[in-house]
């Protein structure tokens, strides 16, 4: 079950982190954001995570694809709002 609150919370958190991440030129700051997001998704509503990840276990957890994933996650959450 995906609640409106879980969507709004995830959207707010990921949207804010995405904005900082894509405008940052500091590697340490980007690493911190990646760590924070990975920790967040570990406790995220499983159904919501599956809905935005298309079943990828490494969604928002893969350093090489993180920027692409965070942008996609925010877009998908916007559609659910």
């Amino acid at each position: 079950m995906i609640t409106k609150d879980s969507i709004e919370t995830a959207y707010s958190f990921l949207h804010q982190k995405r904005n900082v991440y894509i405008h940052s030129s500091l590697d340490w700051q980007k690493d911190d954001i990646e760590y924070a997001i990975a920790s967040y998704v570990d406790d995220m509503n499983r159904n919501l995570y599956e809905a935005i990840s298309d079943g990828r276990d490494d969604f928002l957890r893969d350093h090489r694809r993180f920027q692409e994933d965070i942008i996609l996650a925010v877009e998908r959450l916007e559609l659910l709002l």
Side-chain angles (χ1 to χ4, degrees):
M1 173 184 227
I2 303 173
T3 66
K4 183 173 173 101
D5 287 344
S6 66
I7 296 168
E8 290 173 347
T9 300
Y11 176 79
S12 295
F13 183 69
L14 295 177
H15 183 268
Q16 186 266 340
K17 296 297 183 193
R18 181 207 60 185
N19 288 346
V20 174
Y21 188 90
I22 63 175
H23 293 101
S24 178
S25 60
L26 305 171
D27 289 338
W28 65 266
Q29 186 176 41
K30 288 183 171 189
D31 289 343
D32 286 353
I33 290 170
E34 288 182 36
Y35 178 78
I37 297 293
S39 295
Y40 179 80
V41 299
D42 285 343
D43 295 326
M44 186 179 197
N45 176 300
R46 287 294 97 201
N47 293 326
L48 180 56
Y49 180 75
E50 289 172 10
I52 65 170
S53 70
D54 283 338
R56 275 190 36 230
D57 291 333
D58 65 346
F59 188 73
L60 295 170
R61 294 181 174 118
D62 182 350
H63 175 72
R64 294 165 294 162
R65 294 183 56 154
F66 184 81
Q67 184 165 336
E68 177 185 332
D69 286 352
I70 190 74
I71 291 168
L72 186 57
V74 171
E75 289 172 356
R76 288 178 176 168
L77 287 165
E78 284 175 350
L79 293 174
L80 295 173
L81 288 175

